[in-house]
Amino acid sequence: MPNTGWWRHLPDAAHPFIYLGRFDRPIGWWLLVLPSWWIIPIGAASVPDMLRLMLIFLIGAIITRAAGCIINDLWDRRLDQQVERTKTRPLASGAISVFAAILFLALLGLIGIGVLWQLPLMAIYVGLASVPLVVAYPLAKRVTWFPQFVLGLTFSWGVPLGWAAATGTLPDSGILIIYAGAVAWVFGYDTIYAVQDMSDDAAVGVKSSALAFATNLKQAVGAAYGLAILLLSLGLYIQIGIGIWLAGLSLMALHLADQLRRIDRDDKMGALRLFRSNRNAGLILVGALVLTRALG
């Protein structure tokens, strides 16, 4: 692992823990926080409350994503040793012991509980309800060709959680439709991400939607992205009617269409770039929803 980021100023002993929690790769927490940032502007009582909740969810996403990565690596450390892209991960390479990883996970869990405690009681219950999904995701690739669907359920949990935090109530039908749209979006972009490991996954017996669809990869991702835009449009319309958000969602749709055009199952680095570009796709919609709320 190259020590070329901000963490190079930390003691060398801390570096493996940075890599274990993927703190050196912010794309994960960006993609985790974005669905909640779509919802908070809709439900927050005021603009200052919106900004406060968005900050809390950003911190929570960084912590939760790191904890999820540790759980994933604990389950997958033997498999990771057989995959070129993952064999240098701290647990797979032996840079960190299982015991040390569990202790670090416990510390992150305590911090995460502290962040969650800043939210209304209903949001705490909704947040805790996501724990089974976080634990189950690493196992999904062993039993189903579509672990990306389980990841979608997990990474989109910010939608019901964001609503509960902003309103103190459980999500209604419109919010659940938006949640379904977010799940479809995550399924699409994580299928692109899985292109990187298709050959290694096939060799070690790990399942993925990229392998399941193989020669129909573009059609599968296109269907997921199309469903995402349709459901997001419907859910947002139910919640807030027509507004500036529609322009943002249209630009997001164009962004996803461009991704679809450029998918190449033989280009691993290109797949990684397309996957990462979903941060920008999601932020476009965030900006439009924040503007809708600020002008509303």
Side-chain angles (χ1 to χ4, degrees):
M1 296 284 188
N3 298 329
T4 56
W6 56 266
W7 58 94
R8 71 183 185 276
H9 301 295
L10 299 175
D12 289 346
H15 294 180
F17 292 94
I18 296 295
Y19 304 135
L20 180 65
R22 313 288 200 278
F23 293 107
D24 58 319
R25 299 179 183 181
I27 185 59
W29 55 256
W30 270 117
L31 294 175
L32 183 59
V33 78
L34 285 171
S36 68
W37 280 6
W38 295 342
I39 293 302
I40 290 170
I42 298 174
S46 64
V47 171
D49 192 47
M50 174 187 74
L51 296 175
R52 179 185 66 85
L53 285 173
M54 290 177 75
L55 177 59
I56 290 174
F57 271 71
L58 175 60
I59 297 170
I62 295 171
I63 298 301
T64 303
R65 187 268 188 138
C69 288
I70 296 171
I71 293 171
N72 182 80
D73 288 3
L74 285 167
W75 282 116
D76 286 356
R77 62 188 185 279
R78 303 302 182 198
L79 288 174
D80 285 345
Q81 292 171 348
Q82 305 173 59
V83 177
E84 184 65 29
R85 184 177 61 85
T86 60
K87 67 182 183 181
T88 59
R89 286 177 175 173
L91 278 167
S93 66
I96 289 179
S97 69
V98 170
F99 180 70
I102 292 174
L103 285 180
F104 189 42
L105 177 61
L107 175 61
L108 291 174
L110 289 174
I111 297 172
I113 291 173
V115 173
L116 194 61
W117 204 255
Q118 308 305 308
L119 304 178
L121 184 60
M122 180 60 72
I124 294 174
Y125 291 146
V126 173
L128 292 175
S130 69
V131 173
L133 288 172
V134 175
V135 175
Y137 168 67
L139 300 177
K141 68 186 74 173
R142 293 168 168 82
V143 298
T144 175
W145 285 102
F146 304 108
Q148 281 68 31
F149 177 69
V150 182
L151 184 73
L153 294 173
T154 308
F155 260 55
S156 302
W157 200 257
V159 172
L161 180 57
W163 181 258
T167 67
T169 64
L170 290 173
D172 55 21
S173 60
I175 298 302
L176 291 177
I177 291 171
I178 295 171
Y179 174 61
V183 172
W185 176 54
V186 175
F187 184 92
Y189 73 58
D190 202 56
T191 297
I192 295 174
Y193 183 79
V195 167
Q196 299 175 90
D197 299 327
M198 288 178 70
S199 57
D200 286 330
D201 285 349
V204 302
V206 170
K207 299 177 174 66
S208 77
S209 54
L211 285 173
F213 292 116
T215 56
N216 297 310
L217 192 65
K218 282 194 175 185
Q219 293 90 328
V221 175
Y225 279 170
L227 182 61
I229 295 299
L230 177 63
L231 291 172
L232 290 174
S233 299
L234 177 59
L236 288 169
Y237 175 75
I238 290 172
Q239 292 301 131
I240 55 177
I242 297 296
I244 296 172
W245 65 266
L246 189 57
L249 187 61
S250 298
L251 290 174
M252 180 181 177
L254 290 174
H255 193 294
L256 298 183
D258 184 59
Q259 288 183 38
L260 193 62
R261 179 183 63 83
R262 293 190 286 146
I263 292 176
D264 181 354
R265 57 175 293 182
D266 296 318
D267 183 2
K268 294 183 179 181
M269 291 306 300
L272 180 60
R273 287 192 295 271
L274 291 178
F275 163 75
R276 288 175 173 169
S277 74
N278 279 279
R279 180 200 66 173
N280 297 336
L283 279 173
I284 290 170
L285 183 55
V286 170
L289 287 165
V290 169
L291 187 59
T292 299
R293 178 52 194 271
L295 298 178

